[in-house]
Amino acid sequence: VELLGQLLGPVMQLVGLPDSMGLVWATTMLTNIYAGMLVFFQLHQSDPLTVAQVTVLSTLMLFAHGLPVEVRIAQQAGIRVRVSLLLRIGGGLLLAWMQYRLYEAGDWLQQSNQLVWAPEPVDSSLQGWLMAQGESLVMIQLIVIVLLTGLKILKLIGIERLMAWLLRPLLRVLGIGREATTITIVGATLGLAFGGGLLIKEVRAGHVPPKDVFAAMAFLALCHSLIEDTLLVLVLGADLTGVLWMRLGFSIVLVAVMTRWLNRQDSGFWKRFLVNRHIEPAAQSN
């Protein structure tokens, strides 16, 4: 983590952040937002930031976090690793740079950042870590069970069709078909681990065409867990407009442009650069 943080130091300067924030992003990329927050709290006193800088840093954290786990989830759903990394790291840097230039040009959010919350002491013992991991695994299992049951109920009572109809204009812009509608909503609101996990199940069953898989996973790579993750970075002092509305608008525009260009490419291009071979049977069955 420290080595990656040093490598990211010069990159941080491109988006108006001090070199030390490279350690925050490196921690976030390799673990999760919670761990990145802890490092941020430790560095905040020695490297005070403006609200604009915290918003830019939060954007980087929102786009690229938990990569070893979440990129693997995307790979299992059918998206190549290099594509996921390019979208998440490259997309995050692009939006962060745009925000930096915008805030600098307009002299916006230049006031000193004030922390909303500080972390409590964490049990760093092996026993404490094991307990925390056990609790997390149990909660994830319970949430997945509830999600699968809820999705089944939504299908049975027709709510899924209503949601697809309401979101059809947006999904059409993004290039996401009806089969991936509910899963995309789950991922965007609750997180890539849940939405991507459900998508893996549907892909293996052959229910979702490969192009819909790619469009849905591309959008979720850029814009997922809009509730929890957004609330977390607001605790750091980030501006809501930057970490929610700018992120959402940027993701919609980027995915819409990208899917339109990619739809003009032949199937050989898709198989060679974008999707994994194990989703090809789904393409034939659809």
Side-chain angles (χ1 to χ4, degrees):
V1 172
E2 291 179 358
L3 177 60
L4 180 58
Q6 293 173 7
L7 294 175
L8 289 174
V11 178
M12 295 296 97
Q13 297 179 15
L14 297 176
V15 293
L17 296 173
D19 290 3
S20 61
M21 293 301 112
L23 182 60
V24 177
W25 197 28
T27 304
T28 304
M29 282 198 289
L30 295 179
T31 55
N32 52 51
I33 291 181
Y34 292 98
M37 290 173 67
L38 292 175
V39 176
F40 174 83
F41 286 124
Q42 294 174 8
L43 296 175
H44 186 265
Q45 293 182 349
S46 58
D47 278 324
L49 304 178
T50 64
V51 175
Q53 288 177 308
V54 173
T55 302
V56 170
L57 176 63
S58 297
T59 294
L60 294 174
M61 296 171 69
L62 289 170
F63 272 76
H65 59 264
L67 296 183
V69 174
E70 294 190 351
V71 169
R72 177 62 173 162
I73 291 173
Q75 184 186 31
Q76 288 293 305
I79 308 303
R80 291 189 180 273
V81 170
R82 59 176 174 262
V83 175
S84 294
L85 291 176
L86 179 62
L87 281 172
R88 301 192 65 169
I89 298 176
L93 283 171
L94 178 58
L95 179 57
W97 179 81
M98 292 169 62
Q99 289 177 333
Y100 163 55
R101 291 301 184 186
L102 177 65
Y103 295 146
E104 184 181 50
D107 195 31
W108 295 322
L109 305 179
Q110 299 302 314
Q111 66 271 28
S112 179
N113 182 62
Q114 300 295 324
L115 293 177
V116 178
W117 173 82
E120 299 178 356
V122 178
D123 185 355
S124 59
S125 67
L126 178 60
Q127 181 180 0
W129 179 81
L130 288 172
M131 289 291 294
Q133 295 302 307
E135 292 173 359
S136 296
L137 290 173
V138 171
M139 287 304 300
I140 289 173
Q141 180 67 22
L142 290 175
I143 292 172
V144 170
I145 291 172
V146 171
L147 282 175
L148 289 173
T149 304
L151 289 176
K152 189 67 174 178
I153 294 173
L154 290 177
K155 288 182 180 180
L156 292 174
I157 64 178
I159 298 297
E160 184 184 41
R161 290 193 298 272
L162 176 61
M163 293 169 62
W165 181 77
L166 292 173
L167 292 171
R168 188 173 299 167
L170 176 60
L171 294 172
R172 186 181 296 115
V173 169
L174 294 174
I176 299 174
R178 184 185 61 188
E179 294 84 355
T181 298
T182 307
I183 296 168
T184 303
I185 296 171
V186 170
T189 54
L190 298 182
L192 184 62
F194 298 117
L198 295 173
L199 189 56
I200 291 172
K201 177 177 177 293
E202 295 298 307
V203 168
R204 289 177 176 173
H207 296 159
V208 184
K211 289 188 177 182
D212 286 352
V213 172
F214 182 84
M217 288 306 300
F219 181 70
L220 293 182
L222 301 171
C223 193
H224 61 268
S225 191
L226 288 174
I227 300 173
E228 178 184 1
D229 289 356
T230 302
L231 291 174
L232 287 177
V233 296
L234 289 179
V235 168
L236 300 182
D239 178 69
L240 178 64
T241 302
V243 296
L244 179 58
W245 300 116
M246 283 187 184
R247 179 189 179 197
L248 184 59
F250 174 84
S251 301
I252 291 172
V253 172
L254 182 59
V255 172
V257 172
M258 182 173 59
T259 53
R260 275 159 177 71
W261 180 77
L262 290 175
N263 284 337
R264 299 176 182 175
Q265 310 306 313
D266 58 29
S267 59
F269 181 88
W270 279 80
K271 295 175 183 178
R272 189 162 59 251
F273 297 110
L274 303 177
V275 299
N276 294 321
R277 294 179 180 178
H278 71 264
I279 69 169
E280 289 178 22
Q284 296 171 1
S285 65
N286 284 278

